[in-house]
Amino acid sequence: MDFSYNENQKMIADMIQKFGKQNITPFVREWDDAQIFPLDVFKKLGELGLMGVLVPTEYGGSGFTYTEYVTAIEELSILDPSVGLSMAAHNSLCTGHILQFGSEEQKKKWLPKLATAEWIGAWGLTEHNTGSDSGGMATTAVKDGDDWILNGAKNFITHAISGDVAVVIVRTGEKGDSHGMSAFVIEKGTPGFSSGRKEDKLGMRASETAELIFDNCRVSNDNLLGNVGDGFIQAMKVLDGGRISIASLGLGIAKGAYQSALQYSKEREQFGKPISHFQAIAFKLADMATEIEASELLIYNAADKKNRGERMTLEGAMAKYYSSEVAVKVANDAVQVLGGYGYTKDFPVERFYRDSKLCTIGEGTSEIQKLVISKQIIG
Ligand SMILES: Cc1cc2nc3c(=O)[nH]c(=O)nc-3n(C[C@H](O)[C@H](O)[C@H](O)COP(=O)(O)OP(=O)(O)OC[C@H]3O[C@@H](n4cnc5c(N)ncnc54)[C@H](O)[C@@H]3O)c2cc1C
């Protein structure tokens, strides 16, 4: 097996590093401090083909596989995890749902706009009272002639304010019935569709998170993705791919934090020698490097299965669970390696530390990943 970057991955990594120097790195602190969602950056990422990484070229995308997708998220997340998170939500959740379950007509209508970032996408499953237990959702869609009327609200939605279009999963049947939910595409400007409160967050502050509100929102049956009752099953399949996204985000965070810690440990001297010469610090770095390598292997294993069209629920959950926990641990250790300086905003490790926590929560918490893994292995 060859785990080195293929030509496309090399090209993507190089492109993001060059792009980031000018368009991301100088602004990360400001975006984080003021919770600014840098919409123009995503428009530019669209020009680079990074907002439709998995979308076939016939729909205006880049037509890459999950292998290249992992690299794109990882490289962006090394620069700014918020950008990695938003790029991932747009690509694998909103766009990915339409790509997997839209009709030909629906794909032609929405994918070219999403793949080029002319439109930014959101995806709404979570509600105020139903996160891990998303199947218990309360937002409803009721049939009215050829249309559907939606009522309720979705919570913690990435791009709920700046998004131009959202895929939302709502109840069309009985509570407790996994076939009682359906997925709809809702465009911004649809009467009765609005955004609510923006969250003030611990980390991932440049990635916008807010509510989506439906107040007698009328949408055509043409906006239904797949069949009535398929929404929840579709969402679970979308999340299988989404787990690769969050795992890659965690990998980028861990690599960014590790690189900062490694460099600092070689430069910072205490007791007459670089702190990397102390075994306590050197062993932390050894653990970080090993865990990052292990995350990477789990992620590429899941991505490889996905590329081959094989079921990867187990591998995706393992990659997401492990990589997320590693991101938190590595970021925590990186702060420790930098000591007091790691606790200040002069170095990026404190931001990696705050940003990393999202990985163990978003798109299924670590506890839920362990439920998925244990269900798969025990049966
Ligand atoms: C920055 C950010 C962006 C997000 N973006 C989106 C988005 O774009 N779209 C979207 O739909 N959602 C989004 N989410 C929501 C996210 O997916 C949920 O927060 C997550 O699924 C957890 O749900 P919850 O917050 O309601 O926690 P809860 O489900 O209330 O969980 C609370 C705690 O209980 C534990 N727990 C719950 N059930 C069990 C169980 N059965 N066994 C063991 N432990 C359990 C959890 O692991 C957790 O530790 C986002 C969240 C954040 C913070």
Side-chain angles (χ1 to χ4, degrees), residues 123 125-126 131-132 156-158 209 358 361 363 365 367 371:
W123 188 79
L125 177 69
T126 307
S132 303
F156 289 138
I157 307 307
T158 305
T209 316
L358 180 272
I361 296 170
E363 296 194 32
T365 63
E367 290 78 11
L371 278 181

Side-chain angles (χ1 to χ4, degrees), residues 85 89 93 122-133 154-159 201 203-204 207-209 358 360-368 371:
L85 173 64
L93 297 181
W123 188 79
L125 177 69
T126 307
E127 297 185 1
H128 291 262
N129 292 325
T130 54
S132 303
D133 183 18
K154 294 283 168 185
N155 194 30
F156 289 138
I157 307 307
T158 305
H159 313 145
K201 306 195 298 290
M204 298 293 187
S207 177
E208 177 187 277
T209 316
L358 180 272
T360 70
I361 296 170
E363 296 194 32
T365 63
S366 285
E367 290 78 11
I368 295 302
L371 278 181

